[in-house]
């Protein structure tokens, strides 16, 4: 009888052991989740109970590798299969960012006070963050190509948000080896207006402010799409020239680029809209003159601040009808306190403002009350 009892006890213990192992397996199993990102092609965010998975799938152009980060909430349990990836405790309380395009996202989320470091702070133009810099609450951390490792180790930010131009990033590798949390941001590789703006969700999840980031982006998306619908009422599309001469070549945005898509959405006939590619297309002056001499508008002619400055730089600019008719519009006139061009910093996060500016220029009757923000007419 005692043998039977012992056997039964051992069998019961064995069953409990198996059940516990199965329970552990279930606990560590990752249930399929939906990607939270709609427009951005280089970002994926998956939400789980206690943690999130962030994937940066296009950290630089034509990248062959991607990066996975685990954002762990307080008391969140990370499955064993994910422990190989960089884990960041959220919500973060301090941050170092390395691109001016990251600054507007922090301000839109109301967390600019958590910024403690930036490379070459004179590049920053946003007013809220400039006040923090002037109050010496944001430290200089070197340059993007050579971040100051000693300063960053001393600062101990919760996370450093950087970017890579290619797969060779020795400075970032040294920071990781020093125990700092480094996460790559690929917003600059996006080619669609809403794709760039959606990277605010990347910062939202770092701060545990997913709902706020989703709301901010949904407002931007709504404004952009509402303006887009308004523009589609237009039947006549004015012709548009872009760019200017640089080192004996004229660089125009290729047809699949961010700038070109804005012009398309603004219902213009951009003269190089059918070209393939997402960067700049270098062309001889003669080719540009032949095709665009009679273009209705000239948008973004480099960093010139007046028509005289343009003609002094190259007298041939006077041969274009858009120049003669004073229909040249530049983003270079709206600058921050230190001379930084606001367009470069703010436009990726505010595509709705860019689109409204372009429609105001090309079809002023559609937005009679809109005041140009990024673009100004050259005099």
């Amino acid at each position: 009888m005692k043998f039977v009892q012992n056997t039964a006890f051992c069998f019961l213990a064995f069953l409990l052991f198996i059940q516990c192992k199965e329970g552990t397996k279930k606990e560590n199993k990752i249930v399929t989740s939906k990607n939270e990102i709609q427009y951005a092609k280089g970002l994926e965010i998956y939400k789980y109970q206690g943690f999130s998975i962030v994937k940066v799938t296009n950290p630089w152009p034509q990248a062959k590798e991607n990066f996975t980060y685990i954002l762990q909430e307080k008391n969140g349990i990370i499955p064993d299969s994910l422990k190989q990836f960089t884990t960041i405790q959220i919500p973060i309380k301090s941050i170092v960012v390395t691109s001016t395009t990251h600054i507007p996202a922090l301000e839109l989320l109301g967390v600019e006070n958590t910024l403690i470091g930036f490379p070459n702070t004179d590049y920053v133009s946003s007013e809220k963050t400039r006040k923090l810099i002037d109050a010496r609450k944001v430290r200089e951390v070197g340059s993007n190509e050579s971040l100051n490792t000693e300063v960053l180790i001393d600062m101990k930010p919760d996370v450093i948000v950087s970017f890579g131009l290619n797969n060779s990033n020795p400075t970032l590798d040294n920071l990781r080896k020093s125990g700092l949390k480094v996460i790559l941001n690929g917003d600059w590789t996006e080619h669609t207006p809403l794709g760039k703006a959606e990277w605010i969700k990347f910062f939202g999840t770092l701060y545990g402010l997913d709902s706020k980031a989703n709301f901010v982006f949904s407002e931007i998306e709504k404004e952009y799409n509402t303006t887009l619908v308004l523009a589609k009422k237009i039947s006549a599309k004015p012709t548009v020239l872009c760019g200017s001469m640089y080192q004996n070549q004229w660089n125009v945005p290729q047809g699949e680029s961010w700038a070109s898509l804005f012009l398309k959405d603004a219902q213009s006939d951009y003269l190089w809209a059918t070209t393939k590619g997402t960067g700049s297309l270098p062309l001889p002056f003669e080719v540009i003159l032949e095709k665009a001499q009679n273009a209705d508008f000239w948008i973004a002619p480099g960093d010139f601040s007046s028509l005289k400055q343009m003609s002094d730089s190259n007298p041939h600019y006077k041969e274009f009808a858009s120049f003669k008719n004073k229909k040249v519009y530049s983003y270079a006139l709206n600058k921050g306190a230190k001379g930084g061009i606001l367009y470069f910093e703010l436009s990726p996060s505010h595509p709705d403002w860019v689109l409204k500016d372009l429609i105001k220029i090309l079809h002023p009757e559609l937005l009679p009350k809109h005041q140009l923000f990024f673009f100004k007419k050259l005099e």
Side-chain angles (χ1 to χ4, degrees):
M1 183 68 178
K2 188 174 181 181
F3 172 77
V4 173
Q5 288 177 335
N6 287 340
T7 302
F9 177 79
C10 290
F11 181 69
L12 179 61
F14 177 74
L15 285 177
L16 288 172
F17 174 74
I18 294 297
Q19 289 174 350
C20 286
K21 287 204 73 175
E22 289 180 347
T24 302
K25 287 181 179 178
K26 288 180 180 178
E27 185 178 320
N28 286 337
K29 185 179 179 182
I30 303 176
V31 180
T32 302
S33 177
K34 181 183 177 182
N35 180 19
E36 303 275 321
I37 302 301
Q38 181 180 356
Y39 296 95
K41 300 301 182 183
L43 175 66
E44 298 174 11
I45 298 177
Y46 302 91
K47 308 296 293 184
Y48 300 93
Q49 185 174 354
F51 68 94
S52 300
I53 299 176
V54 175
K55 292 185 177 182
V56 179
T57 58
N58 192 36
W60 51 80
Q62 300 176 340
K64 295 182 180 179
E65 58 185 304
N66 53 57
F67 295 84
T68 298
Y69 307 98
I70 310 304
L71 309 188
Q72 183 179 22
E73 300 169 23
K74 186 177 181 181
N75 300 323
I77 298 174
I78 305 300
D80 294 338
S81 60
L82 297 178
K83 291 182 178 178
Q84 61 180 305
F85 303 114
T86 298
T87 299
I88 298 167
Q89 305 298 317
I90 61 167
I92 62 170
K93 302 298 182 184
S94 61
I95 192 171
V96 169
V97 300
T98 56
S99 170
T100 57
T101 61
H102 303 159
I103 300 295
L106 300 183
E107 293 187 356
L108 286 168
L109 292 172
V111 294
E112 65 275 4
N113 289 327
T114 66
L115 179 67
I116 60 173
F118 188 88
N120 199 334
T121 54
D122 281 352
Y123 288 146
V124 178
S125 298
S126 299
E127 290 185 10
K128 288 182 180 179
T129 304
R130 275 248 58 92
K131 289 180 181 179
L132 296 173
I133 294 169
D134 294 341
R136 298 186 178 180
K137 294 181 179 180
V138 181
R139 291 179 65 178
E140 287 276 358
V141 294
S143 64
N144 282 321
E145 298 78 18
S146 182
L147 295 173
N148 193 318
T149 304
E150 292 182 1
V151 170
L152 288 166
I153 291 174
D154 179 61
M155 292 169 64
K156 296 179 181 178
D158 289 343
V159 68
I160 299 169
V161 176
S162 189
F163 61 90
L165 300 178
N166 51 49
N167 62 355
S168 177
N169 296 290
T171 300
L172 300 184
D173 292 339
N174 288 335
L175 292 172
R176 292 189 188 98
K177 291 176 182 177
S178 300
L180 296 173
K181 303 289 186 179
V182 179
I183 182 169
L184 290 179
N185 179 297
D187 61 357
W188 65 284
T189 67
E190 299 290 338
H191 303 302
T192 64
L194 291 176
K196 281 184 183 288
E198 196 172 18
W199 276 79
I200 191 173
K201 296 178 183 179
F202 168 94
F203 288 98
T205 197
L206 285 173
Y207 287 92
L209 295 174
D210 302 272
S211 295
K212 187 170 185 178
N214 290 339
F215 174 77
V216 170
F217 177 72
S218 68
E219 290 296 298
I220 293 170
E221 178 189 26
K222 182 174 68 175
E223 283 295 311
Y224 193 92
N225 287 333
T226 299
T227 307
L228 189 60
V229 170
L230 181 67
K232 287 182 177 178
K233 296 178 180 179
I234 292 295
S235 56
K237 298 181 179 182
T239 51
V240 171
L241 162 67
C242 288
S244 58
M245 291 292 291
Y246 179 73
Q247 294 183 349
N248 299 319
Q249 292 286 314
W250 191 302
N251 293 283
V252 297
Q254 291 179 309
E256 297 168 317
S257 66
W258 184 65
S260 178
L261 291 177
F262 269 122
L263 291 169
K264 176 184 177 182
D265 285 351
Q267 299 303 299
S268 75
D269 178 12
Y270 171 52
L271 294 174
W272 280 268
T274 58
T275 58
K276 301 295 181 182
T278 57
S280 293
L281 177 65
L283 294 169
F285 174 81
E286 293 75 18
V287 172
I288 299 292
L289 184 63
E290 181 181 359
K291 190 168 186 174
Q293 185 171 13
N294 294 315
D296 297 312
F297 290 89
W298 189 343
I299 306 292
D303 294 345
F304 296 111
S305 57
S306 70
L307 294 176
K308 183 179 184 304
Q309 189 182 35
M310 288 182 67
S311 59
D312 286 347
S313 171
N314 190 329
H316 293 296
Y317 288 151
K318 293 180 179 180
E319 299 179 41
F320 292 89
S322 53
F323 186 98
K324 295 175 183 177
N325 297 328
K326 296 184 179 181
K327 290 188 176 181
V328 183
Y329 290 81
S330 173
Y331 52 62
L333 276 68
N334 195 358
K335 297 181 179 180
K338 294 289 185 176
I341 297 174
L342 286 172
Y343 180 80
F344 295 140
E345 183 170 323
L346 297 178
S347 61
S349 294
H350 296 283
D352 49 332
W353 296 0
V354 178
L355 183 60
K356 287 179 180 180
D357 268 13
L358 291 174
I359 290 175
K360 177 68 174 182
I361 293 168
L362 302 170
H363 312 288
E365 71 280 5
L366 292 180
L367 294 172
K369 295 182 180 180
H370 178 73
Q371 298 295 317
L372 294 178
F373 181 80
F374 290 120
F375 291 92
K376 305 294 181 184
K377 190 175 185 179
L378 293 189
E379 302 293 343

